[in-house]
Amino acid sequence: MPPRVPLLPRNDLKALLQAYLQRANQPPHDGSLPLFIAGYRCGWLFPPIAVDLKRTTGVEISATEAHIGRGMVPGTELDALLATIAAILRAAGRAPGWRNELLDVWSDSCEDSIGSASPKSMAPSVRMDSNVAPGQVDSGTPPVRVDSGTPPVHADSGMPPVRSDSGVSPVRVGAIERGVMRPLGLVTRAVHLNGWSADGRLWVARRALSKATDPGMWDTLVGGLIGAGEPEQLALVRECDEEAGLDPQEIAPRNALHQITRMRRRIPEGYQSEDVLTCECVLAPHVVPKNRDGEVMEIKCLTPAEVLTMLQQGAFTVEATIVIAEDLLRNCTGGH
């Protein structure tokens, strides 16, 4: 835990976190269809997308489900079909976040029951009773990385963790342009880093006005999606460099990435289904984060009380609010 951090009201943070977990825990849009790719359950087809794809070779859409590449196996042929689908959706104006970047497509059996929005299947899943800080270990979380050596092998596997609610390891089915992940309701994986100063303040970043999603809102210091075939630790190092100008040695004291929740949100272009992985790091006094990729307009170092006030005012994105509130609850309330 960063030194000399003033205590924050625990009940206020718990209420805030619970409220935002509920906001990020929605069923898909009405009329969305379970999407299968090469026979694997992968996502949710947004109703307007079904219209755009209904005459596409390799796509089958019925009243109850949608299939892409039925009878195919993961490989070159399936990836080519996914690229064709992405191009069709871009031409139809359905890919507002097009980046010419590929993300992995994973099977996702844990989404099978989401359409019913049952309390069990839709229950938020952030642990709010742990007290893990940078450099500490909690038995319910992954091992903490406290040196500059090689991180634990499991962290660099490039494979999502086994979902405890399904007991089934995800299968990498293929790769597709990130701009069509939401229209197809495919699972994405995001890494975040909360950067603390040595005197107990938190570094936060404001998103550029040019961002397609949540322009001008405040965010974690570092946050971004894991690319196709990219190990999660490498994704974190890349995002730290791009978004905050942090070199690998400057974030070496971080604790281990750990998943805190899955975001499930109806959004205008489709459905966000995103596993959120986060870690914390106390930055050395001489380290001043500076954006390098133009996607951040401002970076500030604020007291926990200032951050809490901004969270309560809705100044942060939904995902950042969950990540930061979860961190503050563990590190700034003095509770267990």
Side-chain angles (χ1 to χ4, degrees), residues 1-3 5 133-135 193-203 246 249-255 279-285 287 331:
M1 178 175 178
V5 174
L193 180 133
N194 280 328
W196 289 89
S197 68
D199 63 358
R201 291 176 296 157
L202 187 66
W203 290 97
L246 298 174
Q249 64 270 21
E250 293 172 333
I251 59 170
R254 68 189 182 276
N255 64 357
C279 63
E280 300 89 42
C281 182
V282 178
L283 302 179
V287 175
N331 290 325

Side-chain angles (χ1 to χ4, degrees), residues 240-262:
C240 285
D241 173 65
E242 294 172 357
E243 297 196 345
L246 298 174
D247 297 328
Q249 64 270 21
E250 293 172 333
I251 59 170
R254 68 189 182 276
N255 64 357
L257 279 168
H258 52 282
Q259 182 175 328
I260 60 170
T261 194
R262 169 169 289 190

Side-chain angles (χ1 to χ4, degrees), residues 35-38 42 53 56-59 67-69 72-89 98 102-106 172-177 180-181 184 186:
L35 175 63
F36 295 81
I37 300 177
C42 292
L53 296 180
T56 303
T57 301
V59 177
H67 286 263
I68 294 174
M72 291 184 178
V73 296
T76 304
E77 183 182 7
L78 180 60
D79 282 344
L81 176 57
L82 293 174
T84 297
I85 288 171
I88 291 172
L89 295 181
W98 191 278
L102 295 178
L103 301 185
D104 288 322
V105 177
W106 295 96
R172 185 185 182 277
V173 179
I176 197 169
E177 158 64 34
V180 300
M181 297 293 283
L184 298 176
L186 301 173

Side-chain angles (χ1 to χ4, degrees), residues 104-123:
D104 288 322
V105 177
W106 295 96
S107 64
D108 191 37
S109 60
C110 73
E111 290 292 320
D112 288 343
S113 60
I114 297 303
S116 63
S118 65
K120 181 177 180 181
S121 66
M122 296 296 291

